[in-house]
Amino acid sequence: MARDSRLNILGLQRFGLGLRPGDLTAIGGDARDLFLDEVKRRSVPVPIGLELVGQAQIGSAFYAFQDKEKAEREAPRPAMQAAMMPAPGGMNEGQGASAPPAPSEPPLPQRIYRDEVAARMRAGLEPLAGFGERLAQFWSSHFCISVSQGNFVRVLAGAYEREAIRPYVFGRFEDMLLAVESHPAMLIYLDNQQSIGPNSPAGKRRGRGLNENLAREILELHTLGVSGGYSQGDVTSLARIITGWTVAGRDGRLGFPGAFAFNAGVHEPGVHPLLGKDYEEAGAEQGRLALLDLAHHPATARHVALKLARHFVADDPPPALVSQLVETWRRTEGDLAAVSAALIQSNDAWGAEAAKLRQPQELLLAMLRALGRKPEFGPIAGALATMGQPLWQPSGPNGFPGNNDAWATPEGIKTRIDVAAAWGRQAAGTASDPRALLEAVLGPLASAETKQAVARAESKPQAIALLLMSPEFQRR
């Protein structure tokens, strides 16, 4: 263990996924070295499952699903009387009531979403430390989409995270930015497929215009930040620049159905200014060049570095830590491995008080790991919905809240108690002795009060629930 074993375990909770029984022995040394090794190896879990395919395959399958649903809706139905008539020789010949129909397979959007959620949670059970997984969750919320937008986003949500987020967690920010903004899930979520250049051939023919949703969120949330120095004119100009970034339709005219495509017929022609720089007409390349410049803008470094520090360390993070992350970002031109390593190497990041509540997705993973439970869609989806963080379903494009006040509400604490009590009851038959479990997953981090509460619990389910609701388990 590290020189300060308590601080070591706190670091494992702050930057990792939570301890499993036996992990303390397996770690053996300084957790900081474990995290840095993940950065060096670019170790980010990859969700795996039979249904987990790419955007084009999913998009094509979804179009087929829609076509089938439409055909079934429009198919002629037999007359009601014929449908209600008993079969010849039926009930009167002693056959009895007909057997109930076999349970039907969930529709495609629900089936894909279910499999993606379970695979995502399984991926979080494997790493010893899990810094890469935590970062994947951070970036997935930073560049969020929401399945509440409709079934197309629902079927693509998992693929979006697997294709546009996870490969770039320890790569370059510019590459993640380009992958995110050109992914069909993001284009559909923020309506860019509806954005038409007024002076494009389609704009002149249809009399329709720009949709600024994606352009606004790129500037306000994804790169510069709300105080990043851009104007409404910049929003409109960026919206013009990325017209034509769309999703190929079912006819395959622009590309493989369901995949990213550039439609020159709706792209606003001409030179467009953005943040004082003119971008020459270049089709899809015009948007790519604008995004590259936004990725390297000083305001982007400041905005994202501050958000990283707030997420992992404190709502009001040490200024020296933020400055160090910004300097690393600028020096390495957005190398996320270098920025992540700087976060782990900072003593300020390790020395902050354990005041941040684990967000529900983090908490649920920590509970699964501590109790040795296998992820099942029903319990996972139910617990996350109860605690207010259903997977890939934030309430808005700014993602799930990162500040403590959003989660430490009376209602939020009550729902955590309810989930802990339910999981305590379910785990009582398989989990080890609660006192041994407490030592295994919290070690010297557990206070005397928490140890006493667990030891004096009236039952094993209550003892497990008290462990899961302890300040040391809930906070990082």
Side-chain angles (χ1 to χ4, degrees):
M1 294 296 294
R3 186 176 303 170
D4 184 340
S5 58
R6 186 179 182 281
L7 183 62
N8 204 42
I9 297 175
L10 177 59
L12 286 165
Q13 296 198 157
R14 177 164 295 166
F15 304 108
L17 298 169
L19 288 166
R20 303 163 299 189
D23 278 354
L24 284 177
T25 302
I27 291 168
D30 193 330
R32 195 177 312 218
D33 295 334
L34 197 63
F35 294 133
L36 291 174
D37 182 63
E38 282 196 13
V39 176
K40 182 179 179 181
R41 292 185 292 108
R42 286 168 159 69
S43 178
V44 181
V46 179
I48 298 173
L50 292 177
E51 298 281 347
L52 274 56
V53 293
Q55 59 178 265
Q57 297 97 315
I58 292 175
S60 184
F62 182 70
Y63 286 141
F65 164 76
Q66 285 185 317
D67 292 342
K68 181 181 177 183
E69 276 202 326
K70 181 180 179 183
E72 290 174 349
R73 285 196 306 270
E74 297 176 352
R77 300 179 183 278
M80 182 64 70
Q81 295 90 332
M84 296 178 63
M85 288 179 62
M91 295 284 285
N92 294 332
E93 295 189 7
Q95 294 179 359
S98 59
S104 59
E105 184 76 5
L108 180 76
Q110 181 62 22
R111 189 173 75 244
I112 291 178
Y113 178 73
R114 177 195 65 191
D115 293 345
E116 293 278 9
V117 168
R120 213 269 218 155
M121 298 305 287
R122 282 197 304 270
L125 300 181
E126 299 303 323
L128 182 57
F131 185 43
E133 178 64 23
R134 284 287 309 286
L135 283 166
Q137 294 175 15
F138 167 81
W139 288 113
S140 187
S141 182
H142 178 77
F143 289 116
C144 77
I145 56 172
S146 178
V147 299
S148 62
Q149 182 74 0
N151 277 336
F152 203 107
V153 178
R154 180 174 290 273
V155 299
L156 284 172
Y160 165 75
E161 186 178 284
R162 289 185 284 108
E163 296 172 337
I165 300 292
R166 291 179 180 271
Y168 308 102
V169 164
F170 294 123
R172 306 194 70 81
F173 179 76
E174 63 186 53
D175 295 329
M176 186 186 290
L177 182 66
L178 289 169
V180 160
E181 310 304 355
S182 63
H183 198 280
M186 181 63 75
L187 295 170
I188 296 292
Y189 173 53
L190 291 177
D191 304 313
N192 207 66
Q193 85 287 358
Q194 299 177 14
S195 187
I196 298 175
N199 297 304
S200 68
K204 292 178 179 179
R205 187 170 62 251
R206 303 181 198 174
R208 292 171 57 187
L210 299 174
N211 186 302
E212 297 183 350
N213 287 353
L214 179 57
R216 178 175 294 103
E217 307 312 350
I218 288 174
L219 294 172
E220 179 179 327
L221 301 175
H222 300 171
T223 58
L224 307 180
V226 69
S227 302
Y230 65 91
S231 66
Q232 174 56 39
D234 291 314
V235 173
T236 302
S237 194
L238 180 57
R240 294 190 182 106
I241 288 172
I242 58 175
T243 47
W245 288 39
T246 189
V247 182
R250 53 176 34 86
D251 59 9
R253 182 174 55 87
L254 295 174
F256 199 91
F260 169 78
F262 178 72
N263 186 351
V266 302
H267 178 65
E268 179 70 5
V271 178
H272 304 300
L274 179 64
L275 298 171
K277 178 178 177 178
D278 288 338
Y279 290 85
E280 300 293 331
E281 172 60 59
E285 182 69 3
Q286 191 179 40
R288 193 185 76 86
L289 292 173
L291 289 177
L292 288 177
D293 284 342
L294 288 171
H296 292 282
H297 196 285
T300 298
R302 175 74 185 178
H303 172 59
V304 182
L306 179 59
K307 193 171 179 179
L308 265 170
R310 282 176 171 163
H311 176 82
F312 281 98
V313 180
D315 286 356
D316 187 17
L321 169 62
V322 177
S323 296
Q324 185 178 5
L325 297 181
V326 171
E327 191 279 328
T328 303
W329 184 296
R330 292 178 178 173
R331 175 172 50 81
T332 64
E333 298 185 330
D335 183 337
L336 298 181
V339 174
S340 301
L343 175 65
I344 292 299
Q345 289 169 325
S346 169
N347 290 330
D348 287 327
W350 286 72
E353 178 187 356
K356 295 281 289 186
L357 273 178
R358 279 172 158 161
Q359 293 185 16
Q361 290 179 22
E362 301 170 40
L363 178 62
L364 193 69
L365 260 179
M367 292 167 63
L368 286 168
R369 288 166 66 91
L371 300 175
R373 289 189 58 173
K374 294 182 179 180
E376 301 173 17
F377 175 76
I380 290 170
L384 289 178
T386 297
M387 293 189 288
Q389 200 178 32
L391 202 54
W392 302 309
Q393 198 173 346
S395 60
N398 56 339
F400 293 108
N403 59 305
N404 235 24
D405 290 347
W407 303 111
T409 63
E411 178 63 23
I413 298 300
K414 180 184 179 301
T415 59
R416 288 172 183 246
I417 292 173
D418 293 342
V419 170
W423 282 48
R425 290 191 297 269
Q426 295 164 16
T430 57
S432 59
D433 178 85
R435 290 169 295 185
L437 186 61
L438 177 72
E439 290 297 328
V441 300
L442 291 178
L445 201 62
S447 67
E449 292 79 8
T450 294
K451 290 180 180 179
Q452 185 178 77
V454 170
R456 292 182 177 179
E458 296 178 358
S459 64
K460 187 175 181 180
Q462 185 186 71
I464 295 172
L466 288 169
L467 188 166
L468 299 178
M469 275 306 300
S470 67
E472 300 90 330
F473 194 88
Q474 291 281 326
R475 296 184 181 273
R476 54 167 178 78

